[in-house]
Amino acid sequence: MTSALGSLSSALKRLHAGAENLSVRFRHLAPVVLPAAWFAFALAGCSSAPVWEALPLGTSADFRDVRFTDADHGWISGGGYNIVGGLIGRTSDGGRTWRFTSNLTDRQRMSVQALHVFDSGRIIAAAGSGEMLQTMDGGDLCAVEVRHGRVDSLSSLFFLDNRRGWAAGHGDVLRTDDGGDTWTPLTP
């Protein structure tokens, strides 16, 4: 087993160095060793891993969703115990700074769970209170849409195009065919 691992190791080094027509005998290797060895080789072949940078946001919110329309313009949603009505934040500098709008509804401890950004002005948000929020000015002023169905909370939102979309949560699935102006429950 040791000589087989040594052969594999030297073969991987030659392969990594660009050697062609590589021939290695693997008859003594356990089936688990090969996938692990190739995974290690793949990791070793990566010259640089992405670097994540933590950015202070100036709020204690628990964030649930983030959407960007390009490298600079994005929106983030969430809420928290001490944040009345949830919040939506927006950035125009790739997330380095954020401007937040809170008190989106009068419900205590409500969180904005999901966002769909149509463009830089029009956004639809699904709230943990079961309400749908809509803004036409990028998030500064959100109108609360009337709840439909038995939705206790909404946690997911998806649009296929500018008109057809679905929202799901505890108790129901909703559908819209008019871009979020009206919602119809799909579950009996």
Side-chain angles (χ1 to χ4, degrees):
M1 179 79 168
T2 305
S3 65
L5 286 176
S7 295
L8 178 60
S9 176
S10 63
L12 289 175
K13 287 178 185 174
R14 287 195 313 257
L15 180 62
H16 187 53
E20 294 183 17
N21 299 324
L22 185 61
S23 173
V24 179
R25 297 201 289 189
F26 296 110
R27 68 175 182 232
H28 298 293
L29 293 176
V32 175
V33 174
L34 251 179
W38 281 110
F39 179 70
F41 171 69
L43 288 178
C46 295
S47 59
S48 64
V51 177
W52 290 88
E53 178 185 357
L55 300 172
L57 296 179
T59 178
S60 63
D62 180 17
F63 293 104
R64 299 295 182 174
D65 202 3
V66 62
R67 300 283 181 216
F68 275 75
T69 55
D70 58 42
D72 291 324
H73 299 91
W75 290 262
I76 193 167
S77 66
Y81 185 75
N82 293 321
I83 301 171
V84 177
L87 61 80
I88 293 177
R90 74 173 157 181
T91 182
S92 59
D93 60 8
R96 298 221 179 276
T97 60
W98 292 87
R99 194 172 84 222
F100 293 98
T101 302
S102 59
N103 294 322
L104 303 174
T105 73
D106 60 358
R107 302 198 92 180
Q108 297 289 324
R109 292 179 234 150
M110 189 275 300
S111 180
V112 178
Q113 300 287 325
L115 295 170
H116 181 78
V117 179
F118 291 96
D119 55 45
S120 62
R122 186 166 173 246
I123 300 166
I124 292 200
S129 60
E131 296 166 314
M132 299 298 290
L133 308 171
Q134 188 168 180
T135 181
M136 301 303 272
D137 61 6
D140 285 335
L141 180 62
C142 290
V144 176
E145 301 295 321
V146 177
R147 293 190 331 180
H148 299 283
R150 299 172 313 226
V151 179
D152 294 332
S153 67
L154 291 169
S155 57
S156 183
L157 186 60
F158 174 79
F159 275 81
L160 189 60
D161 53 34
N162 283 337
R163 300 192 58 74
R164 295 175 293 170
W166 295 264
H170 184 249
D172 221 338
V173 176
L174 305 175
R175 178 186 170 120
T176 183
D177 289 314
D178 59 10
D181 289 334
T182 60
W183 294 87
T184 304
L186 295 180
T187 50

